[in-house]
Amino acid sequence: MKQVLAIHGGNFFDTRAEYLASLKKEPMKREDLFRDRSKRWKDNLGEDLNGGKAAGNFEVFQPEMPSPEDAKYEEWKVVFEKAAAFLTGGNGGAVLVGHSLGGIFLARYLSENKLKVKIAGVFLVAAPFFKPGKKGSGHPGMRANAGFTVSDKPGFFKKLVAQSGKMAIYHSEDDKVVAASHAKLYKKGMPEAELVTFKDRGHFRVEHFPELVEAIRKL
C-alpha cells in the first residue's frame, strides 16, 4: 500500500488584532451554518486514487493542522512530525502533497529537515512563496511572518531535492489567492521539479484533481 500525506491550506496574521479584524470582516453565508458542505479534491483524494472505493492500494493521511485560520509554522511542525511518524516508506516511498499554505509548509520543512522514510514524490499545489521579513505579494491578508517562509537564495531547497523522488509544482494562471509568479520562484529554486500550469483552476477549490491522481498513481 502506498501512503500519501496531504497538508491543507490556511491563513495567518501579524497580530491577533488583525486576526480578529479579519473575523469581523469575513461575511457569513447561510450555507456556512451547515456542516454538510461540498467536498474538495483533498477530501476525495483517497477514493479517487482507489478507483472510487473507500479503501484500496492507497492510504491517504490528512491531519488537521492547528488553528488553520491563524496558523503558526512551529505548531504545524509539531503536528506534521506526529503524522509523519505513521509513514513507513514502503511501496516505493511516501507521497507528500501540500496545498496553498500546506505547500510552503512542506517546502520549508523538507528544506530544513530530513524525513526518516523514503519520499517517492512531493507535490506543491498553489503554494505561496514568501521570503522572510517581507509581505507575501499576491496573497491578500497574508504576511511572511509566523514562519511560513522560504528563500530564493541558491541552495535553499538542496535538502528537499536530495531526499525527494518526483517533484511537481501545480499552479493556475487565474489564481487570485496566490499569484502564478510564485510558482515560477519555486521552479527557479528547484529546476529539477516539473512545473504544471493550468489556465482555469483558480486556487484549486475543486472537487477532483485528476492530473494529481494520475501523477501519484505513476510513482
Side-chain angles (χ1 to χ4, degrees):
M1 179 178 293
K2 184 173 287 296
Q3 295 174 317
V4 180
L5 177 55
I7 306 299
H8 60 68
N11 205 344
F12 60 90
F13 298 86
D14 280 337
T15 65
R16 182 161 182 80
E18 288 188 3
Y19 173 46
L20 290 174
S22 176
L23 285 178
K24 294 176 181 178
K25 183 179 180 181
E26 185 70 22
M28 179 177 287
K29 301 176 183 177
R30 189 174 187 277
E31 52 264 34
D32 294 332
L33 300 175
F34 299 93
R35 289 187 176 274
D36 186 19
R37 300 171 184 172
S38 61
K39 289 185 177 182
R40 299 283 170 81
W41 62 267
K42 292 185 292 294
D43 303 312
N44 293 315
L45 187 57
E47 287 191 7
D48 288 345
L49 284 168
N50 289 313
K53 299 178 182 179
N57 295 326
F58 292 89
E59 184 177 42
V60 179
F61 299 147
Q62 295 190 62
E64 182 67 29
M65 306 306 275
S67 306
E69 292 306 315
D70 190 20
K72 301 292 186 292
Y73 174 82
E74 291 299 328
E75 295 175 1
W76 279 37
K77 181 178 177 181
V78 171
V79 174
F80 174 77
E81 290 179 343
K82 288 182 178 181
F86 291 95
L87 298 174
T88 64
N91 196 15
V95 180
L96 304 179
V97 180
H99 176 228
S100 195
L101 197 63
I104 191 173
F105 171 82
L106 285 181
R108 177 181 172 182
Y109 184 87
L110 295 173
S111 295
E112 298 178 344
N113 304 274
K114 190 176 188 308
L115 218 60
K116 294 181 180 180
V117 299
K118 180 180 179 181
I119 302 176
V122 175
F123 298 88
L124 306 181
V125 182
F129 192 107
F130 294 150
K131 292 183 283 186
K134 295 183 179 180
K135 184 174 180 179
S137 61
H139 204 317
M142 296 183 68
R143 299 177 185 271
N145 71 348
F148 294 96
T149 60
V150 288
S151 174
D152 57 359
K153 293 181 179 179
F156 178 81
F157 297 107
K158 183 177 180 180
K159 185 172 289 187
L160 187 163
V161 173
Q163 64 180 311
S164 304
K166 178 180 177 60
M167 295 183 298
I169 304 159
Y170 292 119
H171 222 104
S172 184
E173 294 177 2
D174 65 341
D175 191 334
K176 289 181 172 52
V177 179
V178 178
S181 58
H182 290 227
K184 295 178 181 179
L185 291 172
Y186 278 110
K187 176 63 176 177
K188 181 179 179 180
M190 299 183 291
E192 301 88 350
E194 179 186 10
L195 175 59
V196 182
T197 58
F198 301 85
K199 293 185 179 297
D200 57 357
R201 299 293 178 88
H203 198 51
F204 293 87
R205 289 167 174 155
V206 293
E207 290 188 21
H208 301 278
F209 197 163
E211 293 85 0
L212 176 63
V213 169
E214 184 62 24
I216 294 175
R217 283 177 175 170
K218 289 181 178 179
L219 294 177

